[in-house]
Amino acid sequence: MDKFQNKYRIPSSRLQNWDYGSPGFYFITICTKNRKHYFGEIVNDEMHTNTLGSLVNAEWIKTPGIRPDMNLELGEFVVMPNHFHGIMMIGENEFNRDGRDAMHRVSTVTTLTSPAAATNKFGPQSKNLGSIMRGFKSSITTHAKKLNLEFDWQARYHDHIIRNHEEFMRISKYISGNPGNWKEDKFFDE
């Protein structure tokens, strides 16, 4: 592990040569801290959300309306007992007009962008996937506190840049089938 100012620093899990404000489709997974079941339960292969799980669902649906300037669209998504999966599309907008589109303009064989074009860097993050996830997670935490509900997110989130239609369809099917496959899910923990 690297050190910064003589302290250990966890390396970023983000793809270093990709601008996460670029147009593209992103598969997101966010887990609860210690994979605790905060959002409800699976009964007969269906997710039954509790109050907090319903808030997660509602906040995700509101995301494009909260950020209309980013030209966002939602794909398949599901709230699970201890995690959330979703597909987010960032469209072309005033903040990424020179960006690259993962589904249509980026080779899956070569690097995603040239090192000279890499814009993923430390510092204030806005108008990108990180800022969307930060706002989404923060809104759920705020709601939980207002309702006096015990709750905490895992510190990070997982993302995957969807690069072609076949991958989009496979991931969409995985998300929609997640409740039915709960006992085989890597996040399953009774």
Side-chain angles (χ1 to χ4, degrees), residues 24 37 47 54 61 80 97 104 127 137 152 171 175 188:
H37 292 210
M47 178 62 188
S54 295
I61 290 169
M80 297 293 286
R97 294 230 190 273
H104 302 104
K127 304 303 180 189
K137 289 173 73 173
D152 204 1
I171 292 169
I175 293 170
F188 176 73

Side-chain angles (χ1 to χ4, degrees), residues 30 41 44 55 60 62 131 134 150 174 177 186:
I30 312 172
E41 62 182 339
N44 296 324
L55 282 168
W60 186 251
K62 287 182 356 186
S131 67
R134 185 173 55 249
E150 177 192 349
Y174 169 78
K186 68 180 180 178

Side-chain angles (χ1 to χ4, degrees), residues 83-118:
H83 67 283
F84 170 84
H85 290 302
I87 295 176
M88 167 76 60
M89 190 277 290
I90 298 177
E92 185 175 308
N93 59 62
E94 66 180 289
F95 308 103
N96 66 18
R97 294 230 190 273
D98 296 328
R100 297 176 56 103
D101 182 326
M103 289 266 290
H104 302 104
R105 287 185 257 147
V106 175
S107 168
T108 58
V109 178
T110 60
T111 60
L112 291 175
T113 60
S114 68

Side-chain angles (χ1 to χ4, degrees), residues 50-93:
N50 57 21
T51 300
L52 196 55
S54 295
L55 282 168
V56 170
N57 190 68
E59 285 299 313
W60 186 251
I61 290 169
K62 287 182 356 186
T63 300
I66 293 169
R67 298 169 179 84
D69 55 347
M70 291 185 69
N71 193 20
L72 303 177
E73 290 183 31
L74 303 179
E76 196 70 44
F77 66 93
V78 67
V79 178
M80 297 293 286
N82 61 3
H83 67 283
F84 170 84
H85 290 302
I87 295 176
M88 167 76 60
M89 190 277 290
I90 298 177
E92 185 175 308
N93 59 62

